[in-house]
Amino acid sequence: MSGDFKLEKNGNANGKIFNGLNGHQPDLDKKAFQENFEPTPLHAAILTYLGYAIITVFGFIRDLMRKYHIEKLHAATEDPEMKDFVPLYASFESFYTRNMYNRIQDVFNRPVCSVPGATIDIVERKFSNSGWTSEYTGKVLKNVINLGSYNYLGFAENEGTCTEAAIVTAKKYGAGVCSSRQEIGNQDIHMKLEQTMADYLDVEACIIFGMGYATNSTNIPCLVDKSCLILSDGLNHASLVLGCRLSGATIRVFKHNDMEDLERKLSDGVVYGQPRTHRPWKKILIIVEGVYSMEGSIVNLPGVLALKKKYKAYLYLDEAHSIGALGDHGRGVTEYFGIHASEVDIMMGTFTKSFGAAGGYIAGNRALVEHLRAHSHSACYATSMSPPVCQQILTSLSIISGTEEGRNRIKQLAKNSKTFRQGLKKIGYIVYGNDDSPVVPTMIYLPCKIGAYGREMLQRGFAVVVVGFPATPIVESRVRFCMSAALTDEQIEKALKAAEDVARVLKLDYSADKSLSC
Amino acid sequence: MDQPHKWVLAEAIHSMYQAPLYHLILEVLLVIWILRLLFSKSYRIQDRVPLTKSEKEALVLDWTPEPLVPPLDKTLSEAVPYRAVNGQPGKNVEVDGRLCLNMASLNFLGLLGNLRIEKQATQSIKKYGVGSCGPRAFYGTVDVHVELEEKLAKFIKSERAIIYSYGFASIASAIPAYAKRGDIIFADEGVCFAIQKGLQASRSKIVYFKHNDMRDLEEKLKHQEQLDKKDSKKASVTRKFMVVEGLYMNSGQICDLPKLVELKYKYKVRLFVEESLSFGVLGEHGRGITEHFNIPIGKVDMISGSLEYALASSGGFCCGRAYVIDHQRLSGQGYVFSASLPPFLATAAMEALDIMHENADMLKELKYKGRKMQQLLNGIPGIELVGYPDSPAFHLRRKDPVSFKEDLQFLQDIVNKCSKNDLCLTIAGRLKDEELNSNWPPSIRVAVTVKISDEELERAANIIRDATV
């Protein structure tokens, strides 16, 4: 059912893929699934490699200078009593950290001192000695427009119904629990949240955990073991990778969002079975995410479901960035494609991004959830979720699913994402990903521009997230804008103006086709 | 045309007479070898044989996977149902409809429900909202996190501290940040599950020593030293670590820290101590096991603790020298790839730390109550008490074990009987099949909180005694 598309050499698809797989809603097969990954322009690639080469050369020179005490060593050193011990770090391990990351440290780990809403207050720091030493200047940059926090539906607020309910709960239940779910940490508020979440997603049951990262790393080992096969998307999050590793299953990686590669690996898995013995696999689990935050792409869910049904595999869908952000009622990528949640075996998500809280959940049929209640590492050994956090999720859920306000927030988010993306494309940025995703990554490529972009935008009053190697491939450093329903049209306009200004200063208009707009 | 053939053949035969002996022998052997290859069994293709498309489709149709999870009725029949707690646990807790004395929550300093903490947490929510909405690197670093890290470091008297948003994740992320494939870790057999996951994630070689047995550890260290002498080049790049707990979650014993520090310097092995239970419990001011044994904290390479037990908040921390801890800011997976701790929980932890700092006699009282409870429960027929005498968390096991299932049922019956008499206890949660040591006996973990009065302790002890009959 995938229409004609040509695969670029890095496995990305550039074109339209038609969704014609869901028979329930006939008009859905006309919905175009458009993802854009404009290939890296040659001159940018060359300059990027050159840039890294220069940094490496200078890095070597500085390391030599530090070794021979020509330059002062600011880094912490090993305890002199322990000099006979085997060194704790390999000397080359932190080469990148010392010589590249340290110099642009001021764009990372920026301390904030307010609620991370549409605007945020950043505590100013001053760096000296090429980034080795820092101090607080004592100034606070107030009301910086926040394009970096995960605040998709704008629930990061310190006033309003959510906050008031959370305060009431904090007074009634306190902050901590001091026990795990299996012992005596299972409170009525947890059970209420689980029921509410299951109702919202329209599945049989749901179980919640205190940390989104731990939801993946402590539950995947309960579902698969060493005689199972996991097919994991190439760009999956570190928590999914850790969960797969801890389970002991065989992991095979398929190219990002590439249904042909996935089918090939599924077919090989079923046909040839386990390596060497050729015994059949006990289970095959496909792990994908709803929205990939570094690429801005949305998983080709109809494609994956069709393959899953054909090869009788199980599907684990990590909706960390898509729950609350996609779909008419915020139910995530399943609602976006018009697919019912029961078709996905394991629906996982986090509460950090769209609900302004913390923690994660896994939802599905009752057998799955009861199995996890009994066997999840987190339910047995880790303390349960803090009650005010549960209340925040409950209140925000009730707003999203029932009220006019919720619908408006979702609409505003979709509108903001579209406007911002189109605006950036018009300026000439290369923007990756799907037009409907609330995450908007734009390419910078050159390493020196990473630091420059962060600083320039802060000067103009905008907080952005810049990422480079190793979170992204070495050539493809990028700026990742996170849209929010809390941003007003005015703020989006201001942001686009600032982005245009910085693009002019840093020459970031790489896009070959300046008329690229949905 | 015949001439060349005859000529070649004649030449060949002629040269055979003239060739040196070794040449002829070599040629004969070669011919024998070729003949052998020609007549031996053909090479069996072990690797994949290309199958036709229809064969593949048939295989796909044939294959049936196992169900994702066991059937619902099986899971429900084997699992112990969760107990329903209503409202906030504190000294008393409402479980399954009854108000009971709470000796199950690890609420050592009785800070659950503390009004000062509640006030600070509420003010924090009014300022920062609930969630931090981002990882530490991307606007998730709130000033309260930085403040809490500095306060913790100052309190414990170490150079640096780093906060994690989940207690389980702190040690499970810290160990793989330093230990990689090819390194060696000496770990106690009885370490808690989070440490086991950290050890598994590190991919290092793990050598387990008998629970709290320093002689066994020294033997294993000596053995490794001998292996190192044989291959000193490899040994000079193999890092070695020891992982122990201050107060063991699984047995209530404390580790022998002076001996461990001695072994550290003797065999050049770095020492990591996990202090989830002992922070806020051991030591004169609650600084943990280093204060308990009066050892300067710089001697321990890294201490990993939890904000979830004594401090009644959420999250975990690691502290140590800056040289060691700063590495985790880029390599600690649970730190880099996860949203940061909600600000109000950090504020709650800071307030709890202040309370602990101001009321140092709470620690003395806690030890006294822990000791008293252990003395009251000592000598109950059929029950064995395991734990360090001053520890407020200790275990009750069956004295003459029969089988895992029966012992577990025996202990569960005790817990149920105590519930009926308004005393809440809990079986120490363990996933028997996932744990390293599946033969570890089941136990009831009793947790004493400083808020319980002496009379209530005596009443509780009598209830337990009656329940074992």
Side-chain angles (χ1 to χ4, degrees):
Chain A
M1 286 299 157
S2 38
D4 51 320
F5 65 92
K6 56 174 170 47
L7 281 173
E8 298 292 321
K9 43 188 186 317
N10 56 353
N12 293 320
N14 198 329
K16 286 187 165 75
I17 303 171
F18 282 92
N19 168 6
L21 295 157
N22 189 338
H24 303 301
Q25 300 190 30
D27 55 340
L28 217 63
D29 45 6
K30 304 290 181 299
K31 187 178 184 141
F33 182 78
Q34 178 155 23
E35 301 216 318
N36 279 312
F37 297 98
E38 198 174 319
T40 311
L42 185 62
H43 69 277
I46 295 176
L47 284 174
T48 308
Y49 282 123
L50 194 62
Y52 277 109
I54 294 176
I55 290 175
T56 312
V57 165
F58 271 95
F60 277 125
I61 297 175
R62 299 289 284 264
D63 275 349
L64 270 173
M65 282 167 65
R66 279 188 277 263
K67 186 171 165 194
Y68 293 112
H69 304 291
I70 303 172
E71 182 180 332
K72 187 166 162 212
L73 190 62
H74 293 279
T77 48
E78 179 67 280
D79 185 2
E81 268 183 14
M82 292 174 64
K83 60 176 166 48
D84 297 332
F85 283 61
V86 176
L88 189 54
Y89 312 118
S91 56
F92 207 74
E93 206 177 300
S94 44
F95 180 84
Y96 168 78
T97 315
R98 280 196 303 276
N99 297 307
M100 164 98 204
Y101 177 82
N102 260 351
R103 304 181 64 142
I104 52 170
Q105 250 190 99
D106 54 313
V107 301
F108 303 116
N109 299 303
R110 287 180 171 154
V112 307
C113 55
S114 74
V115 63
T119 61
I120 196 170
D121 296 340
I122 298 181
V123 180
E124 203 184 28
R125 299 174 296 174
K126 194 174 77 154
F127 282 83
S128 36
N129 292 316
S130 309
W132 283 105
T133 50
S134 71
E135 55 179 20
Y136 292 109
T137 60
K139 226 175 75 167
V140 170
L141 302 165
K142 284 201 173 289
N143 294 324
V144 176
I145 295 181
N146 187 359
L147 298 169
S149 293
Y150 297 137
N151 183 22
Y152 297 137
L153 291 179
F155 280 110
E157 301 166 323
N158 58 358
E159 51 189 20
T161 28
C162 289
T163 317
E164 283 163 23
I167 290 175
V168 166
T169 309
K171 290 199 171 110
K172 183 175 169 204
Y173 288 86
V177 186
C178 291
S179 189
S180 65
R181 287 300 287 284
Q182 283 189 2
E183 291 181 10
I184 196 168
N186 179 41
Q187 294 177 316
D188 45 357
I189 199 170
H190 299 130
M191 300 194 283
K192 184 169 171 211
L193 175 57
E194 288 176 349
Q195 189 56 51
T196 315
M197 197 66 195
D199 290 338
Y200 174 66
L201 294 171
D202 200 15
V203 289
E204 281 177 24
C206 171
I207 177 173
I208 58 169
F209 303 97
M211 185 195 197
Y213 183 93
T215 308
N216 282 329
S217 62
T218 56
N219 289 307
I220 295 180
C222 305
L223 299 170
V224 287
D225 61 18
K226 58 184 194 303
S227 42
C228 301
L229 173 66
I230 295 182
L231 291 166
S232 162
D233 188 293
L235 294 181
N236 272 344
H237 191 252
S239 57
L240 291 165
V241 173
L242 181 63
C244 295
R245 266 185 51 208
L246 289 176
S247 69
T250 305
I251 308 172
R252 293 198 182 139
V253 175
F254 64 92
K255 292 204 199 92
H256 173 59
N257 237 357
D258 184 348
M259 294 302 112
E260 276 190 4
D261 197 28
L262 175 58
E263 174 151 25
R264 219 185 346 249
K265 296 205 155 69
L266 270 170
S267 165
D268 283 350
V270 175
V271 165
Y272 297 113
Q274 303 191 27
R276 294 191 308 128
T277 56
H278 293 296
R279 272 200 215 115
W281 295 106
K282 283 212 189 124
K283 299 175 217 176
I284 298 184
L285 183 65
I286 306 173
I287 303 187
V288 290
E289 289 186 39
V291 167
Y292 291 89
S293 61
M294 281 300 159
E295 294 286 301
S297 53
I298 299 181
V299 66
N300 181 358
L301 194 61
V304 174
L305 276 175
L307 289 174
K308 169 192 115 76
K309 285 197 185 93
K310 181 174 174 191
Y311 292 93
K312 295 174 250 188
Y314 298 110
L315 180 60
Y316 186 106
L317 179 64
D318 178 341
E319 294 211 79
H321 286 270
S322 52
I323 187 77
L326 287 180
D328 291 330
H329 298 96
R331 290 200 179 91
V333 72
T334 46
E335 192 182 28
Y336 176 75
F337 283 109
I339 295 168
H340 192 258
S342 57
E343 303 219 15
V344 177
D345 301 290
I346 307 147
M347 304 255 287
M348 177 266 168
T350 62
F351 298 117
T352 325
K353 284 96 187 176
S354 302
F355 300 93
Y361 68 88
I362 290 189
N365 60 32
R366 216 176 138 217
L368 168 74
V369 170
E370 292 298 329
H371 174 79
L372 287 176
R373 274 195 221 285
H375 291 95
S376 164
H377 305 172
S378 175
C380 181
Y381 295 103
T383 55
S384 38
M385 204 190 250
S386 167
V389 173
C390 293
Q391 186 58 48
Q392 164 77 15
I393 305 166
L394 278 166
T395 333
S396 53
L397 256 181
S398 68
I399 293 178
I400 295 173
S401 57
T403 64
E404 183 77 36
E405 187 194 337
R407 276 195 291 282
N408 286 340
R409 282 181 195 250
I410 296 171
K411 278 201 204 105
Q412 185 69 25
L413 174 65
K415 184 166 153 235
N416 284 350
S417 311
K418 269 211 163 66
T419 322
F420 199 70
R421 248 175 209 276
Q422 284 180 21
L424 286 180
K425 283 183 189 164
K426 278 211 181 73
I427 297 171
Y429 280 100
I430 292 182
V431 181
Y432 268 17
N434 194 301
D435 283 342
D436 292 320
S437 100
V439 176
V440 185
T442 59
M443 306 309 288
I444 311 182
Y445 300 118
L446 270 74
C448 51
K449 294 188 186 178
I450 302 175
Y453 201 96
R455 290 171 192 149
E456 291 288 327
M457 284 302 261
L458 188 61
Q459 260 181 5
R460 289 165 176 76
F462 291 89
V464 297
V465 167
V466 284
V467 263
F469 183 75
T472 61
I474 196 157
V475 184
E476 297 174 8
S477 320
R478 58 198 72 177
V479 182
R480 189 186 68 176
F481 296 101
C482 287
M483 283 299 103
S484 165
L487 294 169
T488 60
D489 295 335
E490 211 191 314
Q491 286 169 328
I492 300 263
E493 235 185 271
K494 270 200 222 159
L496 283 170
K497 274 211 189 70
E500 186 169 8
D501 200 29
V502 177
R504 188 180 42 84
V505 168
L506 295 178
K507 291 209 158 354
L508 286 171
D509 47 348
Y510 290 112
S511 181
D513 183 2
K514 294 222 175 13
S515 66
L516 257 176
S517 47
C518 186
Chain B
M1 283 297 129
D2 290 326
Q3 278 275 13
H5 286 296
K6 261 194 234 158
W7 175 74
V8 166
L9 197 57
E11 269 279 331
I13 297 173
H14 189 63
S15 64
M16 249 165 55
Y17 288 132
Q18 284 195 329
L21 188 60
Y22 71 86
H23 189 110
L24 286 172
I25 294 176
L26 222 51
E27 295 267 2
V28 167
L29 284 174
L30 200 59
V31 170
I32 294 174
W33 181 255
I34 291 171
L35 287 170
R36 180 176 167 273
L37 277 177
L38 278 173
F39 290 114
S40 70
K41 265 195 295 196
S42 62
Y43 172 65
R44 265 210 313 220
I45 300 172
Q46 304 277 11
D47 238 323
R48 56 178 65 166
V49 185
L51 299 169
T52 66
K53 190 158 177 236
S54 55
E55 282 175 335
K56 283 192 189 178
E57 282 176 8
L59 280 169
V60 169
L61 278 169
D62 264 346
W63 180 66
T64 29
E66 258 186 27
L68 182 61
V69 289
L72 179 62
D73 36 359
K74 180 164 184 279
T75 311
L76 288 175
S77 66
E78 287 174 0
V80 177
Y82 285 3
R83 297 154 87 170
V85 174
N86 200 4
Q88 181 177 49
K91 190 182 85 169
N92 294 309
V93 62
E94 192 184 324
V95 186
D96 294 327
R98 302 181 80 99
L99 189 64
C100 304
L101 183 67
N102 186 359
M103 296 195 80
S105 296
L106 297 166
N107 176 23
F108 301 122
L109 300 177
L111 293 175
L112 278 178
N114 182 291
L115 288 171
R116 259 175 75 176
I117 295 179
E118 178 199 293
K119 184 158 160 249
Q120 289 295 326
T122 322
Q123 279 179 1
S124 188
I125 298 178
K126 283 198 190 124
K127 183 174 180 195
Y128 299 105
V130 175
S132 61
C133 297
R136 287 293 290 259
F138 305 143
Y139 308 102
T141 303
V142 188
D143 50 354
V144 291
H145 295 143
V146 180
E147 214 187 309
L148 176 57
E149 287 176 354
E150 283 169 7
K151 255 201 163 121
L152 272 171
K154 195 158 156 232
F155 176 73
I156 286 196
K157 295 194 184 146
S158 71
E159 209 181 332
R160 197 84 93 218
I162 180 173
I163 307 264
Y164 284 86
S165 53
Y166 208 48
F168 189 95
S170 19
I171 190 67
S173 304
I175 296 177
Y178 302 103
K180 311 275 183 217
R181 201 191 288 270
D183 294 334
I184 304 176
I185 306 182
F186 296 92
D188 188 299
E189 236 177 25
V191 284
C192 66
F193 196 75
I195 298 181
Q196 291 174 31
K197 288 294 129 186
L199 295 172
Q200 191 185 353
S202 72
R203 294 200 253 226
S204 312
K205 175 176 165 198
I206 317 287
V207 177
Y208 289 100
F209 60 92
K210 294 204 193 75
H211 180 52
N212 231 358
D213 186 345
M214 293 296 107
R215 258 179 313 172
D216 194 35
L217 172 59
E218 184 152 17
E219 237 178 77
K220 299 203 153 71
L221 286 168
K222 263 202 195 94
H223 178 72
Q224 184 60 40
E225 200 183 33
Q226 284 167 354
L227 289 173
D228 285 348
K229 283 206 181 83
K230 285 188 201 147
D231 189 353
S232 58
K233 212 169 168 209
K234 185 172 167 205
S236 62
V237 290
T238 308
R239 292 177 284 250
K240 295 194 274 290
F241 303 91
M242 284 190 289
V243 178
V244 292
E245 285 182 55
L247 183 62
Y248 285 93
M249 175 76 93
N250 286 333
S251 69
Q253 308 273 20
I254 62 171
C255 68
D256 185 354
L257 196 64
K259 182 74 183 165
L260 283 164
V261 173
E262 189 195 312
L263 290 173
K264 166 185 165 176
Y265 286 101
K266 188 169 170 193
Y267 294 96
K268 312 270 181 277
V269 184
R270 293 173 195 269
L271 180 58
F272 289 170
V273 181
E274 210 275 343
E275 292 217 68
S276 289
L277 283 192
S278 51
F279 181 71
V281 169
L282 293 181
E284 201 188 318
H285 297 95
R287 293 192 176 98
I289 195 153
T290 48
E291 197 183 27
H292 178 86
F293 282 112
N294 226 339
I295 291 175
I297 196 149
K299 301 276 180 198
V300 176
D301 289 284
M302 185 186 75
I303 291 192
S304 164
S306 173
L307 305 170
E308 294 174 349
Y309 303 125
L311 294 185
S313 179
S314 236
F317 66 93
C318 286
C319 56
R321 295 188 302 282
Y323 180 74
V324 178
I325 299 297
D326 283 344
H327 180 74
Q328 283 183 43
R329 294 209 192 266
L330 285 176
S331 311
Q333 291 233 320
Y335 179 84
V336 174
F337 293 109
S338 162
S340 54
L341 185 65
F344 79 94
L345 289 168
T347 316
M350 273 198 284
E351 192 63 23
L353 200 57
D354 281 342
I355 294 176
M356 195 164 92
H357 199 75
E358 291 160 16
N359 302 313
D361 31 306
M362 262 204 304
L363 277 313
K364 227 181 278 172
E365 215 183 312
L366 180 63
K367 286 190 199 44
Y368 160 72
K369 296 220 158 112
R371 191 167 41 231
K372 183 173 171 115
M373 188 66 184
Q374 291 199 35
Q375 281 166 354
L376 287 169
L377 290 176
N378 221 340
I380 298 183
I383 293 287
E384 185 192 350
L385 196 147
V386 183
Y388 174 69
D390 279 356
S391 165
F394 53 91
H395 289 252
L396 299 173
R397 296 182 188 161
R398 194 175 193 180
K399 202 165 208 156
D400 303 305
V402 176
S403 79
F404 184 86
K405 231 176 159 183
E406 285 185 36
D407 295 344
L408 188 60
Q409 190 55 50
F410 171 75
L411 294 168
Q412 188 65 52
D413 290 337
I414 297 176
V415 170
N416 293 341
K417 281 191 204 145
C418 290
S419 276
K420 289 206 180 72
N421 287 309
D422 297 338
L423 171 67
C424 181
L425 290 176
T426 180
I427 306 268
R430 285 177 69 82
L431 292 171
K432 176 174 178 288
D433 302 320
E434 305 279 333
E435 285 259 3
L436 157 79
N437 200 340
S438 53
N439 292 325
W440 202 267
S443 61
I444 295 175
R445 187 194 310 115
V446 180
V448 177
T449 165
V450 79
K451 286 241 157 26
I452 296 187
S453 67
D454 285 353
E455 296 84 40
E456 284 169 325
L457 282 179
E458 284 171 18
R459 189 171 69 89
N462 286 331
I463 294 174
I464 298 175
R465 199 178 289 270
D466 293 338
T468 60
V469 168

